[in-house]
Amino acid sequence: MTSARTWFITGASRGLGRAFAEAALDGGERVVAAARNVDALAELAEKYPDDLVRLSLDVSDRHAVFEAVEQAVAAFGRLDVVVNNAGGLLYGMVEEATEKQIRDHLDVNFFGAIWVAQAVIPHLRAQGSGHILQVTSMGSGGGMASVGFYGAGKAALDSVSEALAMEVEQFGIKVTAVQMGGYATGLFTAGTTATTPGPAYEALRTQMAEMWGDDAGPDPATAAPVIMKLAGMPNPPRRLIVGSRSFDMVQEMNQARAEQYRAWESLSRMAPG
């Protein structure tokens, strides 16, 4: 590496965002770490005083996002790797969720990533390079009871990221939907908003809780080497599953989905479209 790259990472105070920030800094890179509460990054700031800039940011605020990106560019002169990691979990059944809960959830998990992409693209286009990593989920290919809105936001981000990749590749900009497996990020604790449980779903809720189990998943730091390698690829994939177990699970889900389609093929082919 001839010169240090500049990373812009949202949701950088904990979990995957924190792990990616630490890996980049340890690798000699420069990082602009954005989070609602940047106090948690004080230790990193002391360790890397010249290479880390902390920005307090709520990604649901589009105006604030654009201001933060301008500050990031001003701090280091350019952006090379943009990681849209900020997010949370809305836990509960579709019927139970309030309008405010749904809108607040998508404001962060979907629209926040869109605002960041819109803010950074002019800068990346001007320099003729850059890589946007959209942190989605290995489960974004299908919905699951009690986490339907989380999956919906990630699926939407997957889809728009494919479109974005096609739109900006002419400018030398790469886009990858990073479909993360389950890691011990605190998503199901500190990052969770829960609906008011309805009695009609009590049995299903118990069933889902048993399915999730108590395993929080591996340390987020174990995913960081994948992100570092991905960020260094001249021709990265547009989608990447991160996690060995998750890769196998996605393959199984895709196979089951293909079998469902084939089972109803005759009905599908009744229409000419």
Side-chain angles (χ1 to χ4, degrees):
M1 183 183 300
T2 57
S3 61
R5 295 174 298 183
T6 300
W7 294 56
F8 181 85
I9 304 174
T10 66
S13 62
R14 62 178 178 84
L16 292 168
R18 172 67 178 252
F20 300 161
E22 289 190 23
L25 290 165
D26 289 346
E29 311 273 55
R30 302 174 299 193
V31 174
V32 178
R36 291 194 182 194
N37 180 8
V38 296
D39 292 343
L41 295 165
E43 181 182 347
L44 274 185
E46 291 180 4
K47 186 176 180 181
Y48 300 99
D50 299 324
D51 297 320
L52 174 65
V53 171
R54 296 179 291 166
L55 292 179
S56 180
L57 176 64
D58 175 357
V59 296
S60 67
D61 184 337
R62 187 173 186 271
H63 179 73
V65 167
F66 275 72
E67 284 192 340
V69 168
E70 293 303 316
Q71 288 179 265
V73 173
F76 292 124
R78 62 183 290 119
L79 299 176
D80 298 291
V81 184
V82 177
V83 185
N84 268 314
N85 169 73
L89 176 69
L90 176 53
Y91 180 77
M93 308 302 170
V94 171
E95 181 186 355
E96 298 169 347
T98 66
E99 179 181 356
K100 185 176 188 307
Q101 286 177 325
I102 298 167
R103 291 185 182 278
D104 287 350
H105 178 75
L106 294 178
D107 272 346
V108 174
N109 282 32
F110 177 67
F111 288 107
I114 300 302
W115 306 152
V116 171
Q118 289 182 336
V120 301
I121 286 171
H123 295 284
L124 304 185
R125 181 171 59 239
Q127 67 193 31
S129 65
H131 194 176
I132 302 173
L133 307 183
Q134 309 275 52
V135 176
T136 65
S137 170
M138 53 80 68
S140 61
M144 184 168 290
S146 74
V147 291
F149 291 108
Y150 180 78
K154 295 301 187 182
L157 187 55
D158 268 342
S159 181
V160 80
S161 296
E162 288 267 14
L164 180 63
M166 294 176 65
E167 293 166 0
V168 301
E169 64 181 349
Q170 62 183 310
F171 309 125
I173 304 170
K174 310 298 183 181
V175 180
T176 301
V178 185
Q179 299 174 316
M180 303 300 304
Y183 290 85
T185 63
L187 181 65
F188 279 88
T189 53
T192 297
T193 298
T195 62
T196 299
Y201 296 101
E202 182 176 355
L204 179 57
R205 194 180 302 274
T206 299
Q207 178 184 339
M208 298 306 296
E210 290 174 352
M211 185 186 74
W212 299 130
D214 297 325
D215 183 8
D219 191 314
T222 60
V226 178
I227 301 305
M228 294 301 295
K229 185 169 184 177
L230 176 65
M233 291 180 175
N235 295 297
R238 290 185 178 177
R239 292 181 182 233
L240 181 74
I241 300 166
V242 180
S244 180
R245 289 184 301 176
S246 299
F247 185 92
D248 291 338
M249 290 173 64
V250 170
Q251 297 309 301
E252 291 175 5
M253 288 188 292
N254 287 342
Q255 181 178 352
R257 188 171 295 114
E259 291 173 356
Q260 289 177 356
Y261 280 128
R262 284 194 294 269
W264 295 98
E265 180 179 356
S266 61
L267 181 60
S268 298
R269 294 189 181 280
M270 287 177 63

